[in-house]
Amino acid sequence: MDRFQWGVATAAYQIEGAVTEDGRGPSTWDVFAHTPGRVRDGHTGDVACDHYHRWPEDVALMAGLGVDAYRFSVAWPRVQPSGSGAVNAAGLDFYDRLVDALLAAGIAPAATLYHWDLPQPLEDAGGWMNRDTAHRFAEYAAIVADRLADRVDAWMTLNEPVVVMAYGYGYGLYAPGHALLLDALPTAHHQLLAHGLGAAALRARGARRVGIANHYSPAWPASDDARAATATFDLMLNRLFTEPLLTGAYPDLTPLGGFPDGVVRDGDLPVIAAPLDFLGVNYYRPTRIGPAPADSPLPFDLVDMPDFPVTDLGWPIVPDAFGDLLRDLRATYGDALPPLVVTENGCSFPDAPDDGPRVAFLEAHIAAMRAAMADGVDVRGYFAWSLLDNFEWSEGYHPRFGLVHVDYATQQRTPKRSYAWYRDLIAAARA
Ligand code: IFM
């Protein structure tokens, strides 16, 4: 890659729909969303943005934006419906066509292999609590790479494994909906192992650039007596999924209870720490932390941040925290830090084509990124989340993160003001 890439990002379950079409199997999110009470207003990804049928129109929208790259995810249950064994040719064909159309439009494909839609049969066998899922992931990575590695520009093995651990297995807010609290910790190691084994499978098949998309949130103490709790939150959210990748060792996980015996085996860490071509950074907001209340099962408390403007989801808007995060990664990991790619950044605001607040959000965050780059942080790309309004997990279709408005009744796409603004920014950056 010889120039900075401007892009947009999406994920399969959030946009594709067609969940029972052409041989796709059920994922944990299908089951979760169809369980009453799990997703706001009973929304599901059954239809989503109907991207599975409307992808040519969506590629045309990206071409109109002038993006260099498109980050999408491959749905594991579309490619390998039961999570192991038989391959669904029709599923692979879909991504093959998409990749070719992107290349024809001059857009570099950036594929994420796992953005939370685990095949349900793997969850039935223990999901990410089961070490075997890491090996199944490597098998799936090899299948996708055999078909697409000749044309995909960049690969991300996993998206935000911390969210899968914390929301999926810890709090039960996301699929598969387990509330194991700190007992969910083995899912961290099994996902990191999946990353390492998957990355090796990709490289063995000629993948050009391999990385991972991690979620980061700078942790701020709410008070002096919250420093230990803040360090524990930072350990869970930011360090747990970065240090093994970049240093080949876990930080001291005692405040989180540590891994049960036998979870981390000899030889795992070198697999996890194989060099990355880039580290993906997903940034949305900082988090303020208070000491854990007396009866809390968790060693920290999340505290409101009323002193900042907020997005539609109540997330504080703090662009400086984004710049500081990029600088802190560089300061903390030094030469062990590979080039960074901002694999997600964006915001939800109410349904309006004239989305001035989104323009202001993106403008301020891109300025913060550029300031960090001017300070020497090596950032190679920026992907706005998201191209389209889409299924925002347990919030259903209520939050709208898109540069393009989607009318879910008609599937009509309408570019918002932020779309034109981003198009102009990209054009200006190239001039
Ligand atoms: O929509 C999600 C995405 O799937 C993962 N990162 C955060 C986004 C906004 O919540």
Side-chain angles (χ1 to χ4, degrees), residues 11 14 115-116 159-160 174 215 282 284 315 344 385 390 392-393 401:
Q14 295 181 270
H115 198 124
W116 306 352
N159 181 72
E160 299 181 347
Y174 283 7
H215 183 91
N282 293 3
Y284 289 87
W315 296 356
E344 285 182 28
W385 183 270
N390 60 49
E392 176 58 20
W393 309 113
F401 276 88

Side-chain angles (χ1 to χ4, degrees), residues 31 91 108 114 118 152 173 198 220-221 238 246 276 285 303 333 357 362 428:
V31 172
Y114 173 68
L118 191 73
V152 164
L173 295 175
W220 295 350
N238 301 311
L246 302 186
L276 296 170
R285 54 166 296 178
V303 175
Y333 298 106
L362 295 174

